[in-house]
Amino acid sequence: AWADGARRLKVRANAETPHDARQARRFGAEGIGLCRTEHMFFEGDRIVSMRKMILAENAEGRRKALEELLPLQRKDFIEIFQALKGRPATIRFLDPPLHEFVPHDEAGQKEMAEAMGVTPQRIAELVNALHEFNPMLGHRGCRLGIYYPEITAMQARAVIEAAYAVKGSKAEIMIPLVGNVKEFTHQKQIVLAVFQQVKAEKKGKTPPHIKIGTMIEVPR
């Protein structure tokens, strides 16, 4: 309260769950400054769906995994927007170093092999293929979305549909690890295309307030 009387800055919190968003509000945060969407998938069955997406060997396999992830993300975003009561949330699209999400132990690889209907040896090969010497400049962040545009499209739909569901929502979509304006433009066009699709599906409803941007952070 003392700080509020003098400050000119607005203070936001990092939050990836509805519980954290509610807690942040209780502590006086004026929104979410960073919602790291990959952190939404570390628990329970979600990690299995996430791994299916990462280890899928074709677009069809990725699409099936994304269909499992879409309702989970949408539900989380709805609850986060409800907790914020009209305050803004900066939502960073997937920025996982992929090797952090896949199982490196034999038991975990066996479990994924059963879930995906392939051999544990094939899972081990896919996991080894994901290793990178410098993940910050590698196949993650916006490069993941450029290589697999269906991932960006799924996340855009989850955010936009959730924003439609909660009146007064203010979503700020962050395209991660952008090092070149072409990367940003490519990803932004996907988000805008999905926004147009959802608008057509929700015709008659007032579109939500959504910003699209990035954070200047990449070493190069």
Side-chain angles (χ1 to χ4, degrees):
W2 292 347
D4 285 349
R7 70 188 171 92
R8 287 175 292 174
L9 290 170
K10 290 191 173 181
V11 180
R12 298 192 192 182
N14 283 10
E16 285 87 36
T17 66
H19 170 268
D20 287 349
R22 286 189 291 271
Q23 186 79 331
R25 277 291 307 120
R26 279 198 288 271
F27 284 131
E30 292 164 298
I32 292 175
L34 184 61
C35 174
R36 297 162 290 192
T37 54
E38 62 274 7
H39 287 206
M40 294 173 158
F41 298 114
F42 276 124
E43 295 176 8
D45 294 337
R46 297 177 172 212
I47 190 71
V48 176
S49 298
M50 183 74 168
R51 286 171 172 172
K52 281 183 188 174
M53 182 197 74
I54 291 169
L55 296 170
E57 298 196 62
N58 53 51
E60 183 57 32
R62 259 187 313 283
R63 235 183 309 276
K64 283 182 181 172
L66 289 167
E67 283 170 10
E68 294 176 17
L69 295 174
L70 173 60
L72 300 173
Q73 285 239 287
R74 185 173 54 227
K75 181 175 180 290
D76 279 351
F77 292 139
I78 286 172
E79 292 182 23
I80 285 170
F81 291 147
Q82 287 170 338
L84 291 175
K85 298 187 187 328
R87 291 166 184 83
T90 301
I91 297 163
R92 186 178 73 187
F93 277 6
L94 282 176
D95 180 27
L98 297 183
H99 66 274
E100 288 183 10
F101 278 86
V102 293
H104 293 274
D105 60 299
E106 199 173 312
Q109 291 180 357
K110 188 178 178 188
E111 182 187 343
M112 278 311 300
E114 289 171 5
M116 295 178 69
V118 297
T119 65
Q121 182 186 358
R122 183 60 189 145
I123 295 295
E125 288 169 1
L126 292 168
V127 168
N128 289 336
L130 290 172
H131 177 75
E132 293 184 317
F133 288 103
N134 187 350
M136 278 297 284
L137 295 174
H139 192 214
R140 63 179 281 193
C142 64
R143 263 95 58 204
L144 188 65
I146 290 167
Y147 206 69
Y148 302 131
E150 58 269 30
I151 296 176
T152 301
M154 180 279 285
Q155 291 210 284
R157 179 167 283 274
V159 171
I160 294 162
E161 289 182 348
Y164 263 102
V166 182
K167 196 174 179 183
S169 301
K170 289 181 185 168
E172 300 175 355
I173 291 171
M174 182 198 290
I175 306 301
L177 278 181
V178 168
N180 184 292
V181 69
K182 290 180 182 178
E183 295 173 326
F184 177 75
T185 305
H186 178 281
Q187 292 292 281
K188 181 179 177 180
Q189 291 309 314
I190 293 171
V191 176
L192 290 174
V194 173
F195 203 171
Q196 289 304 318
Q197 287 170 10
V198 179
K199 270 185 192 173
E201 293 161 15
K202 310 263 186 195
K203 57 186 172 200
K205 289 192 174 182
T206 305
H209 182 85
I210 293 178
K211 291 182 177 180
I212 308 168
T214 188
M215 177 167 67
I216 309 303
E217 57 169 332
V218 180
R220 70 181 181 188

